[in-house]
Structures are given as structure tokens and as C-alpha cells.
Amino acid sequence: QVQLVESGGGLVQAGGSLRLSCRASGRTFSDVTMGWFRQAPGKERDFVAAILWSEGYTSYAESVKGRFTISRDNAKNTFYLQMNSLKAEDTAVYYCATGPSGSYYHHQFDYWGQGTQVTVSS
């Protein structure tokens, strides 16, 4: 059974930084995509960033390009989301997820973390 455990959310002032972590367990990860999504109150769950586990190729939502960086540590089965220059509109519950290689839309991801709250005060 695949499990994803997130950590690193919290409260930060606008312009500040946070790093989210997602530790994956339950199988050997190779031909998969690891992703981050976020959901603000009353809104849909939106794609934030993704990384191909084996090759390390990354993709980002336009709204976070240049501010957020997704990375992974294969040895630790953990991937990260470094968030810099945070804005009030980044406030949301952030979820990590894993799915088949090339996954992009949230319905393509099979397993999800429990979510972690990120609040950016203006």
C-alpha cells in the first residue's frame, strides 16, 4: 500500500519561504510522476508542480514558475516543494500525489497525501 506523508506547512508572511516535504513508502518508485496540488477554500484542486521520478524532468503551473521548485531525493523516497516569494494567493491546503509517468491532471494521480495547510499573511 502506497503511503504519502507530508510535512512543512505553516504560517508565513508574504515574501517569505517554506519547504514542503512528501515521503513516499510502500513500493519501489521508478516510472512515476510525483506532484504537488493545492486547494483553496471554495476552489478546485489545482496543479502546482510535478517531477518525473526517474529522469527528474519538472513542470510547473504558470502562477508559480520562478518562485517554486520541485525536487526529489531518490535515496530517501522523498520529494520537496521549495516555495519562495510567497503571496497571499498561495494560501491553500497543499497535497502531494503520485501517479503513472506523465500524469498531470489530478484524476490521473493514484495516491495522495493527507494535505498540509500553507497560510501566507499579507
Side-chain angles (χ1 to χ4, degrees), residues 19-98:
R19 189 177 82 154
L20 305 182
S21 300
C22 182
R23 187 175 182 281
S25 63
R27 56 167 282 189
T28 300
F29 297 96
S30 55
D31 194 24
V32 295
T33 291
M34 302 297 198
W36 289 97
F37 289 76
R38 65 186 181 186
Q39 188 167 19
K43 295 189 176 182
E44 294 184 351
R45 190 169 298 189
D46 291 331
F47 171 81
V48 175
I51 186 167
L52 292 180
W53 189 252
S54 296
E55 297 86 352
Y57 297 142
T58 59
S59 60
Y60 297 91
E62 284 296 325
S63 59
V64 307
K65 276 184 180 178
R67 300 188 298 123
F68 290 11
T69 302
I70 188 171
S71 62
R72 91 276 195 227
D73 185 331
N74 298 60
K76 295 181 179 179
N77 266 9
T78 301
F79 61 108
Y80 307 93
L81 185 68
Q82 177 68 43
M83 304 184 293
N84 299 329
S85 302
L86 282 161
K87 305 175 182 179
E89 51 262 44
D90 294 318
T91 295
V93 177
Y94 283 70
Y95 297 89
C96 63
T98 182

Side-chain angles (χ1 to χ4, degrees), residues 3-18:
Q3 286 191 318
L4 302 175
V5 179
E6 303 165 14
S7 59
L11 173 64
V12 65
Q13 288 188 331
S17 298
L18 280 175

